[in-house]
Amino acid sequence: MSRRRIIASGVAGVAGAALAVWAFSADDSPVNWYSAATVSAKTVRKKRPLPTRTEQVANLQAGHTYDLLIIGGGATGVGCALDATTRGLRTALVEADDFASGTSSRSTKLIHGGVRYLQKAIMQLDYDQYKMVKEALHERANMLEVAPHLTRPLPILLPVYKWWQVPYYWFGIKMYDFVAGDRNVKNSYYLSKKNTLELFPMLKSDNLCGGIVYYDGQQDDARMNLAIALTAARHGATIANHVSVTKLYKVAGKLSGARLKDELSGKEWDVQAKCIINATGPFTDSIRKMDDPKIKDICCPSSGVHIVLPGYYSPEHMGLLDPATSDGRVIFFLPWLKGTIAGTTDLPCQVTHNPKPTEDEIMFILSEVKNYLNPDVEVRRGDVLSAWSGIRPLVSDPNKPDTQSLARNHIVHVSPSGLVTIAGGKWTTYRSMAAETIDAAVESANLKPIFRDSQTDGFLIEGAHGWTPTMYIRLVQDFGLEMEVAQHLSKSYGDRAFAVAKMATMTGKRWPIIGKKIHPEFPYIDAEIRYGVREYACTAIDMIARRLRLAFLNVQAAAEALPVVVDIMAEELNWNEAEKKRQIKMANEFLANEMGQMVNRASRDKIPINLSKEEIQTYIKRFQIIDKDRKGFVSINDIRRSLKNYGEEVTGEQLHEILREIDTNMNGQVELDEYLQMMSAIKSGHVAYSRFARMAEMEEEHHERETLKKKITVERSGGGL
């Protein structure tokens, strides 16, 4: 521990005692409204109740003067909020959408120093790149330490297919270990061809020389973002999602406050602040132009698309790095929450609130993945369970013409009016970027924090204080949760998992005793919806995308779980039927556009029908069995009747889901050409599975059994005469 930190912790008690007087004297408010936490609690779980969103918005409307108003609730913004409030600064943060709703929830999920940046630093003798990697490796170790429930070390395999590359890559990876020093996760190592295939059996074996394994970290990015925001709130920061900034105010040329708008209620009000921080990622320039319309753009947005494939595409505990794709980019192939993430692309794009993946980007990733997997693993378009695009807010450099050559370093800029902008950077270095930003804010606005230096290095994040890797066993034993559910709760909420479990309802079964799943294929339970509302989830999208990660893991499963999610949220937030329908509509649009559902469907519909005559006859027969009335189409009632024939009862919403997956004309019925198109897509691999197709097959089997029974009855009847 540094001498500075020893002194800081030693005076924490005195500072805490003086804090109330300081906060009162610094504000015109008649009450002592602000009570920041002393950092003596940095490794002790904070017991302050989490204020509700209503209370947080009321604080923003109460006329207080804040030291800092932070615009943006992504990784950097919430990092700034935590850094500021733990220094004793009166801190407010607003986010126009939801925490991590932008790029911070759409990352590769890696906590890394940047292997390729180190390569550039060595090859180009670039000291700035080296410093960036060194800083990122320190922050990588810190993230693994302060949020062990949300992070894990992850070995990543670098397959080598040319002998001369073995020493080249081995040296580079060893340098990565060396630069990390005592903050290294684990040492890298070389694997023979045999051992490489044992660890990564789906890898292509032809010409394989071996592999080099190095370690980085992995996280649940949206939940990490949220956990940092909640930690800041527990330590005194006023934070509010779905609150936007519509105008900045100045007095004598210096920023003095902002006009805020609650995007849920539509209410607007003013808030005063001594300093304003712009941490809006891709939207950096829009806030800068709110300050000065003549300012030049500094952000160069780049689209990064990821796809999620089934878990069997990769080992559960090892990722893969393709260091040189067909166009020179890097592709990662990583296990994550029982699925496999593949990506990312890197293409210039326009800034938008609703970035969408494209079919070209998805197919590029699939083709690159195919190059590294053995022929037994058929890489099918239909295996894409979800796809999303994140906009990287890269800082532009006029000397570098394309986004691939842009490093993810960051800048902190203070405008003449005092707007502090933090731009660029990457997820891993959010904490050090925040510390640098608050340093700049303190200096530019002449603020008086209790602690001059950042207190967040080693500062435990929400859920980390009482967490252990075996904590889930207590959840199983004490609450009667299914083991997979208990493990999920432990890794998502840390020591707060017990509070979640207490909200779970009885299953009515012998086992598990509590914890009704909202979807049979995933460990998410009803209690998480109720707890998610307390974590500031305000919409169904907030819930399925960022409190739960269902939308990112399987877009179809997220659509199927929506009615249950909305019903529970309606109980918590007093939604009426009209609002429930509105939430389902918005969430379905989000899944269709931003999570790749519509792209998946469009790719299927472009497939030419490649069925043989025999196959077409078979499918026509199945279709006609379901369409008993010979209407020429299959309706909801036909589907319900068919499912009943083999004993499957489904809800009305589930019936609509089955219809929607095949009803490309969107007319509420399935026509023969749509069915044949689906079967052709399944045959070509563009669709992995269809419940409607399976239902038609089972209906045919049921029909044949019934026909056979009647025939036997008639024959027996005739024989008796």
Side-chain angles (χ1 to χ4, degrees), residues 66-185:
Y66 289 93
D67 290 318
L68 290 171
L69 171 63
I70 300 162
I71 309 172
T76 309
V78 298
C80 287
L82 181 59
D83 192 283
T85 197
T86 52
R87 295 195 202 195
L89 293 168
R90 293 167 299 172
T91 306
L93 178 146
V94 293
E95 161 59 47
D97 195 341
D98 184 27
F99 303 114
S101 58
T103 310
S104 295
S105 63
R106 303 169 191 238
S107 74
T108 311
K109 324 302 179 197
L110 279 178
I111 310 168
H112 64 113
V115 171
R116 56 179 169 153
Y117 304 133
L118 181 61
Q119 180 189 23
K120 288 182 182 179
I122 295 171
M123 300 298 289
Q124 300 171 12
L125 299 178
D126 188 332
Y127 184 62
D128 288 338
Q129 291 267 13
Y130 170 81
K131 283 197 304 182
M132 187 182 75
V133 174
K134 181 77 174 174
E135 176 187 60
L137 288 170
H138 172 85
E139 295 302 324
R140 178 187 70 176
N142 185 65
M143 286 181 75
L144 290 167
E145 176 187 335
V146 302
H149 56 302
L150 291 169
T151 63
R152 64 168 180 165
L154 180 69
I156 299 176
L157 174 69
L158 188 65
V160 184
Y161 287 90
K162 296 177 182 176
W163 279 112
W164 67 265
Q165 290 179 334
V166 173
Y168 175 77
Y169 286 141
W170 182 87
F171 173 77
I173 296 300
K174 281 300 175 186
M175 283 299 296
Y176 195 57
D177 292 349
F178 176 76
V179 173
D182 62 355
R183 305 293 277 170
N184 196 26
V185 178

Side-chain angles (χ1 to χ4, degrees), residues 354-393:
N354 311 107
K356 303 173 184 177
T358 66
E359 182 65 15
D360 287 345
E361 289 173 300
I362 291 171
M363 291 308 296
F364 167 77
I365 296 171
L366 287 175
S367 66
E368 295 300 329
V369 165
K370 192 179 296 185
N371 290 337
Y372 272 84
L373 300 184
N374 69 49
D376 290 341
V377 182
E378 183 185 355
V379 180
R380 304 181 300 180
R381 176 62 180 81
D383 285 337
V384 177
L385 303 176
S386 185
W388 69 87
S389 172
I391 301 177
R392 295 189 185 91

Side-chain angles (χ1 to χ4, degrees), residues 116-117 120 124 126 129 132 300 302 328-329 346 348 394-409:
R116 56 179 169 153
Y117 304 133
K120 288 182 182 179
Q124 300 171 12
D126 188 332
Q129 291 267 13
M132 187 182 75
C300 185
S302 169
R329 291 178 286 190
D346 195 359
L394 306 182
V395 181
S396 61
D397 183 338
N399 297 315
K400 297 177 181 178
D402 56 72
T403 58
Q404 285 95 325
S405 63
L406 288 170
R408 283 149 180 76
N409 52 348

